[in-house]
Amino acid sequence: MQAVIGSASARRALEVLHWWASAGERLALDRLVEELNCLTLRWRNAVVPGGDISAAGTVLRARILARAPPDLAHVSVSDLRSLARSGVLMDITGAPQTVTWHSGVHALVRESMEVDGRWMGIPLGVHRVNTMAWHKGHWDRLGLPPPDAWSSLLLSARELDRAGVVPLVWSDDGTSLTGLFDSLLLAELGPKGYERLSQADGWAQEGVVSALKMLRRLRGWVPSQRQQRVNWSVAGREFLRGRAGIWFMPDWCRGELNAWGMREGKDYEIGPVPGTAGGFLYQVDCLAAVNPAGRRQQDIQELADMLTSVPLQRAYNLAKGSTPVVSGALAATAAAPHWAALDDPRLVRLPALTHRHGNLGLRGDVLTQLLQAFLRDPTQDALALGRQMLRLQQKEFR
Amino acid sequence: MKTFAAAYNSRWRRVLHSMMPATLRNRVILFMVLGALSSQVLVLLIWTAQAKEQARAEVSETAQLLAASATQATRFIRALPVSYRPLLIDQLRTTGGSRFLMQLNRSFVDQPSAEAGELSGLMNGLVQRAIGAELARDGLSGVRVQVVPSRSLIVDDSGISATELPGQWLDAAGLPMKEEQPLLVVQVGIEPGNWLLLASALPNPGLFLRAHPYAPDRLLMILAGLVAVLLIVVGVARGITQSLAHLDKAASAFARDLTVEHIPEQGPLEVQRLAHSFNEMQAQVQRSVADREHLFRSVSHDLKTPIMRLGFRAELLDDPVLREGFKKDLQELGVMLQGALSTMRGADLPEPTTRVALGELLGELTEAAIGAGAPVSLTVSEVSVPGKALALKRALGNLIDNAMRYGKRVDVSLGITGDCALVTIRDYGPGLPEDQMEKIFEPYLRLEHGNQVNSQGNGLGLWIARNTVRRHGGDIVLSNHPQGGLVAAVTLRMGDLPSQ
């Protein structure tokens, strides 16, 4: 796609490692690349197939260890923290008089990008994690109540099942599964209890075990042949084709569904997971410069300038389904009414687990694997798993 | 010294002898089982020694391999910048590629010690020495090696155990967690405050878990072998001893009353020969007895004619005193001859062996005397013996007649002693001098006292009685009663009827 041709070699290419492989992600990426390639910078894709954060993490670590890292890498905020503390990332704070792009970034996002007071990541968008999509066609046809509470959701699931529609789908991919578990934790613990997860006895709360039990209960509505671990976009395809009624997915499902030609409000609805309507579990997408020596600081700053510009932010986030990171781009448009949520005073904004692992004690990849094993083995006890999570968190296992 | 040894030796021999089973069958079984047991034990010992030797060789090979890998891994980690080390460890957790589960800790993590098996100790020592020597060249001295049960492995200095980690990580490092298996845990202090923990599955965990040679299942197998041997041996021993038992029965029957039973000449060659000799002996003894009887009978018969002729000739004697003397002597001679002949006939009397009720028999014998007011008392109980009724009646009758003849009063009682019936006949006569107690059984022997009381006796009564009783597997013993009088104790074997 981005073949290095004669004239392009003169331009300064930046290799970016990421795992945006789905339709919506590619569209959003195209918006960036179109804009960037008009400039002297050149964006070179190093995409990890599979669209899975753990596979991308493996590739990134392999390249760092092989001393051939990409210039930039898409990382989760918790990875951003640990990589920054390992000293393999470039400090992109820059001199205050020359670097100005920081100033427009939303305070919430700034907090995420700063590690020990230094800017370590270029933010791209804010995702809401506690969301799900439901198929409007089935709801209208069967006259189902909106799934805004567990009671109505489970009632709808029964009806869908009776109508021969798969009630629920989700992917056991790292981010999708932890996203759902995150939402269930928020629903069970409430915002205060959810905040307490960072504290020493946070995982000892009864709500943790309840969330695990709820996860297993919901799993019961997923047909067994769809329970094997699938890529999230494959799970999305089920929903897209109308085979499934509800898709538990952070809000990048919006970008994906839009890319396939569905329209929010007409073909599908997106809403908070029941019990979490008052909360905004957020997660920030960002790029980290994998270059501790600080080479090409100039090019990186130029790229950050571009990526945080208002037009590009709007274009990119419209396509991705996320929310712009700069306050100037937040003015809600008719095409993106959800952007208002970031500053909605009625919502409590809480960093999602994937965002907070560095502060949680419990590693994100460990949590994901424990949840995957929990769903694979129906005999595993929720209480025992809760205790295991508590121990790993309290001991701050690395 | 020598005498002590000899005494010791003989004492041992006595102890051994007392422990030896009495019957041939049991001896055969004992020796066969002892033989089988000792061979099993010997095989087990040899096998154990060999297995141990083999295990040691395997362990030392494994130890070299693991030590080399651990050294390599340690050097690799040390060569990485400190900040890259966690990345590598994360990488190995997801992708595998190392035989070790690696963990970086701030200090040495003490492991719960495994059951200190001999092989574990060997493994420990070998790996410790090999890695210690290698890493000493890099200037590292803090090397600790342990063999730890997999489910007890503590991975992290905060105390997190391996079982608490995601299964995927353990799989990637090839650590078995489903079942308890020994792991080799190497910890190296790579810098002050930095310890590298390496945990690896042992390539041949069976070596360390392999059942103890004296484990119950193995002992059970030995036991099963012994039972099999025992069953076979019992069968074989029975085959041998059955023919011997047959022979024994026939011999004792022959000894009792010259009953001839032909022994089938079969079984092992030795037993066949024995049976053949026994059959020969039976025939030989029978022939000689028959010859003797024949001779005795013809002599007795032939003597009748000259005695009769002498009688006629004595009539011709003129001297009446001389004539009466001759006649009296001839008469006595005739009585003796008659007695001898009737004895021969009695012995010959073909009579079947039946169950004889001794009480009834004694009642019949004393009935007439008691009816006639003779001082005879009878105490009986229900006792019966296998035997020839008429012969027994005659034998016991002889004894009772004797008692009535020589004593003033007679007590007859019937009881049981051991496995024999006991008939006691006591008279209140003068008794017998001690030196005559055995002599009196000799044929034709008359004592002075007897001659006075019964001049017609022929001296064969006791002899016949004892012969008869002995053929019935019993005996007659005479003794003097402390209060005076003679006691004849007759024992008769009870037991079953010999099956014909």
Side-chain angles (χ1 to χ4, degrees):
Chain A
M1 182 160 84
Q2 304 295 332
V4 180
I5 48 173
S7 63
S9 60
R11 295 190 293 183
R12 294 156 297 158
L14 284 169
E15 189 188 17
V16 185
L17 181 82
H18 60 82
W19 63 90
W20 295 315
S22 79
E25 288 168 340
R26 276 171 182 279
L27 274 181
L29 188 61
D30 285 350
R31 297 283 166 281
L32 292 185
V33 175
E34 274 165 22
E35 293 285 332
L36 288 174
N37 285 356
C38 299
L39 299 173
T40 51
L41 282 175
R42 206 176 146 67
W43 173 290
R44 207 159 78 204
N45 275 311
V47 61
V48 178
D52 183 10
I53 184 172
S54 69
T58 303
V59 173
L60 177 61
R61 281 192 298 267
R63 293 194 54 175
I64 294 175
L65 288 169
R67 313 288 160 96
D71 295 306
L72 292 144
H74 175 204
V75 293
S76 76
V77 172
S78 67
D79 282 345
L80 182 78
R81 291 212 179 91
S82 61
L83 289 173
R85 287 183 179 135
S86 295
V88 296
L89 298 186
M90 183 199 290
D91 178 359
I92 52 171
T93 314
Q97 53 276 47
T98 53
V99 178
T100 55
W101 58 270
H102 303 154
S103 54
V105 173
H106 195 279
L108 201 75
V109 179
R110 162 192 289 266
E111 203 185 319
S112 303
M113 293 298 103
E114 281 183 342
V115 181
D116 304 326
R118 294 171 302 143
W119 278 80
M120 300 310 283
I122 307 169
L124 288 172
V126 180
H127 278 295
R128 191 175 184 186
V129 171
N130 56 319
T131 58
M132 61 182 195
W134 64 93
H135 212 283
K136 203 155 180 307
H138 292 313
W139 253 255
D140 292 344
R141 186 164 57 85
L142 298 170
L144 301 173
D148 48 10
W150 287 119
S151 56
S152 58
L153 184 141
L154 294 173
L155 181 91
S156 305
R158 263 194 298 281
E159 289 298 321
L160 288 166
D161 195 33
R162 211 167 292 161
V165 178
V166 171
L168 311 176
V169 284
W170 75 76
S171 158
D172 281 354
D173 266 1
T175 38
S176 322
L177 180 58
T178 43
L180 173 57
F181 182 59
D182 233 349
S183 309
L184 296 178
L185 279 176
L186 178 59
E188 294 288 340
L189 298 169
K192 282 218 172 64
Y194 188 84
E195 276 295 343
R196 264 183 66 199
L197 290 176
S198 310
Q199 293 164 20
D201 59 346
W203 287 79
Q205 297 177 86
E206 277 176 28
V208 174
V209 178
S210 314
L212 285 170
K213 286 179 176 164
M214 190 65 191
L215 182 65
R216 187 166 271 169
R217 192 172 163 202
L218 291 175
R219 184 66 156 197
W221 289 103
V222 180
S224 52
Q225 69 269 25
R226 287 180 172 78
Q227 285 186 1
Q228 67 266 45
R229 193 174 159 190
V230 292
N231 187 294
W232 67 266
S233 57
V234 174
R237 217 69 52 77
E238 296 280 316
F239 180 79
L240 197 67
R241 291 178 180 156
R243 290 189 198 145
I246 296 177
W247 182 20
F248 282 109
M249 192 67 197
D251 68 357
W252 55 89
C253 62
R254 180 181 283 124
E256 184 71 6
L257 293 171
N258 289 347
W260 286 93
M262 292 178 87
R263 290 289 159 263
E264 189 172 355
K266 184 167 157 278
D267 302 314
Y268 67 91
E269 295 282 2
I270 288 189
V273 170
T276 67
F280 185 117
L281 284 182
Y282 67 87
Q283 170 191 322
V284 178
D285 272 354
C286 65
L287 296 178
V290 195
N291 180 5
R295 281 180 287 110
R296 306 192 63 186
Q297 170 83 249
Q298 189 55 47
D299 291 347
I300 305 278
Q301 292 295 355
E302 209 174 300
L303 179 75
D305 246 351
M306 282 297 306
L307 293 179
T308 52
S309 68
V310 172
L312 209 145
Q313 273 289 309
R314 291 180 78 97
Y316 165 82
N317 283 302
L318 263 178
K320 188 96 192 298
S322 47
T323 306
V325 296
V326 288
S327 306
L330 276 177
T333 65
H338 60 278
W339 285 0
L342 193 60
D343 282 323
D344 191 334
R346 290 165 302 175
L347 293 179
V348 185
R349 270 155 293 276
L350 299 157
L353 288 182
T354 43
H355 219 81
R356 304 203 302 171
H357 290 135
N359 298 333
L360 269 181
L362 185 56
R363 287 174 54 126
D365 53 350
V366 173
L367 178 70
T368 307
Q369 286 175 17
L370 292 180
L371 289 174
Q372 284 168 350
F374 177 68
L375 288 179
R376 264 200 310 275
D377 176 11
T379 62
Q380 205 186 335
D381 181 31
L383 200 65
L385 180 57
R387 272 201 296 271
Q388 189 176 351
M389 286 174 169
L390 172 66
R391 252 181 74 74
L392 288 168
Q393 185 241 345
Q394 284 182 334
K395 300 291 182 184
E396 295 191 11
F397 176 78
R398 286 279 153 269
Chain B
M1 193 67 202
K2 213 171 201 171
T3 54
F4 171 75
Y8 189 76
N9 210 357
S10 74
R11 217 182 78 197
W12 264 110
R13 201 164 290 177
R14 234 176 303 143
V15 169
L16 277 180
H17 194 77
S18 69
M19 287 189 339
M20 188 71 75
T23 63
L24 178 62
R25 194 185 69 170
N26 290 352
R27 281 184 193 199
V28 169
I29 290 173
L30 176 74
F31 283 115
M32 290 292 275
V33 168
L34 278 180
L37 186 65
S38 53
S39 78
Q40 288 261 31
V41 167
L42 202 66
V43 166
L44 186 68
L45 288 178
I46 293 171
W47 182 87
T48 309
Q50 275 179 349
K52 206 174 258 181
E53 193 48 50
Q54 201 183 343
R56 283 169 160 278
E58 267 180 65
V59 163
S60 107
E61 198 178 319
T62 303
Q64 296 308 323
L65 265 172
L66 282 172
S69 306
T71 309
Q72 210 176 359
T74 307
R75 286 187 176 145
F76 188 71
I77 288 277
R78 276 193 85 211
L80 277 180
V82 176
S83 61
Y84 279 37
R85 290 174 189 167
L87 286 176
L88 176 74
I89 285 172
D90 273 349
Q91 192 71 345
L92 292 174
R93 283 168 175 170
T94 48
T95 59
S98 167
R99 75 181 317 152
F100 295 107
L101 178 86
M102 293 192 196
Q103 180 73 18
L104 281 168
N105 291 312
R106 283 179 290 273
S107 60
F108 169 73
V109 181
D110 200 17
Q111 303 290 338
S113 54
E115 188 195 344
E118 193 199 337
L119 289 178
S120 303
L122 179 70
M123 173 67 109
N124 241 342
L126 286 173
V127 176
Q128 175 88 48
R129 224 168 306 140
I131 300 183
E134 266 304 301
L135 291 182
R137 293 200 282 148
D138 301 1
L140 296 180
S141 57
V143 178
R144 308 275 289 270
V145 180
Q146 281 162 294
V147 175
V148 179
S150 57
R151 298 182 69 83
S152 322
L153 170 65
I154 294 176
V155 171
D156 179 78
D157 48 18
S158 67
I160 292 293
S161 91
T163 51
E164 291 176 282
L165 297 184
Q168 204 183 321
W169 292 6
L170 303 168
D171 291 346
L175 293 198
M177 284 291 153
K178 290 271 185 291
E179 65 255 35
E180 191 78 282
Q181 284 194 6
L183 302 180
L184 182 78
V185 180
V186 179
Q187 296 187 64
V188 185
I190 45 178
E191 288 119 19
N194 269 337
W195 280 76
L196 173 66
L197 179 145
L198 303 167
S200 170
L202 292 168
N204 190 353
L207 214 57
F208 298 87
L209 297 177
R210 194 171 284 162
H212 198 266
Y214 311 119
D217 55 342
R218 209 170 285 280
L219 291 182
L220 207 68
M221 261 167 59
I222 291 182
L223 203 68
L226 281 182
V227 168
V229 167
L230 199 67
L231 286 179
I232 294 168
V233 165
V234 166
V236 170
R238 259 177 77 147
I240 294 173
T241 54
Q242 219 163 25
S243 35
L244 284 177
H246 197 180
L247 200 60
D248 168 47
K249 221 173 81 186
S252 62
F254 185 67
R256 199 164 58 232
D257 49 11
L258 292 178
T259 307
V260 174
E261 189 188 341
H262 185 79
I263 305 294
E265 294 174 16
Q266 58 192 30
L269 193 59
E270 290 86 348
V271 177
Q272 272 183 38
R273 282 186 187 148
L274 188 58
H276 180 73
S277 309
F278 180 75
N279 286 336
E280 292 263 278
M281 183 194 77
Q282 280 191 127
Q284 190 64 35
V285 169
Q286 214 173 18
R287 262 198 306 279
S288 77
V289 166
D291 286 351
R292 234 177 34 206
E293 276 178 14
H294 189 248
L295 179 70
F296 184 63
R297 208 178 319 208
S298 31
V299 166
S300 306
H301 196 265
D302 288 354
L303 277 174
K304 270 182 180 170
T305 317
I307 286 172
M308 208 156 34
R309 275 208 302 269
L310 272 176
F312 291 136
R313 290 208 183 129
E315 290 292 335
L316 298 178
L317 284 173
D318 293 335
D319 187 350
V321 180
L322 197 61
R323 193 171 59 222
E324 281 309 305
F326 261 106
K327 274 171 82 175
K328 195 171 170 243
D329 281 350
L330 283 173
Q331 202 176 11
E332 209 168 302
L333 204 57
V335 168
M336 280 166 75
L337 212 54
Q338 203 62 41
L341 276 172
S342 68
T343 303
M344 293 319 296
R345 269 201 295 279
D348 266 357
L349 217 62
E351 191 188 349
T353 301
T354 56
R355 187 150 280 284
V356 181
L358 287 178
E360 275 173 38
L361 193 140
L362 288 171
E364 282 168 26
L365 285 172
T366 52
E367 198 179 8
I370 292 170
V376 176
S377 76
L378 177 65
T379 322
V380 294
S381 49
E382 286 282 312
V383 180
S384 63
V385 296
K388 298 183 172 175
L390 280 178
L392 276 179
K393 192 171 181 179
R394 193 163 140 203
L396 290 171
N398 277 348
L399 288 172
I400 293 172
D401 284 349
N402 273 354
M404 289 199 289
R405 195 167 293 140
Y406 302 113
K408 301 180 191 78
R409 200 145 59 81
V410 179
D411 297 340
V412 179
S413 66
L414 171 61
I416 292 174
T417 172
D419 56 351
C420 290
L422 174 67
V423 179
T424 320
I425 299 159
R426 183 201 168 178
D427 64 40
Y428 290 79
L432 274 178
E434 287 295 329
D435 59 341
Q436 300 290 334
M437 290 289 183
E438 276 302 309
K439 240 182 178 171
I440 193 148
F441 286 108
E442 286 172 16
Y444 301 114
L445 186 99
R446 305 293 316 277
L447 294 184
E448 190 56 32
H449 171 71
N451 261 335
Q452 281 171 16
V453 178
N454 174 22
S455 54
Q456 294 298 303
N458 58 16
L460 286 173
L462 281 176
W463 179 67
I464 290 169
R466 181 175 245 187
N467 274 353
T468 306
V469 169
R470 283 191 170 169
R471 280 180 199 171
H472 281 80
D475 204 357
I476 301 173
V477 178
L478 296 178
S479 59
N480 284 318
H481 196 277
Q483 268 101 50
L486 190 70
V487 180
V490 182
T491 49
L492 284 166
R493 206 159 54 171
M494 294 197 290
D496 294 324
L497 274 176
S499 51
Q500 298 297 320

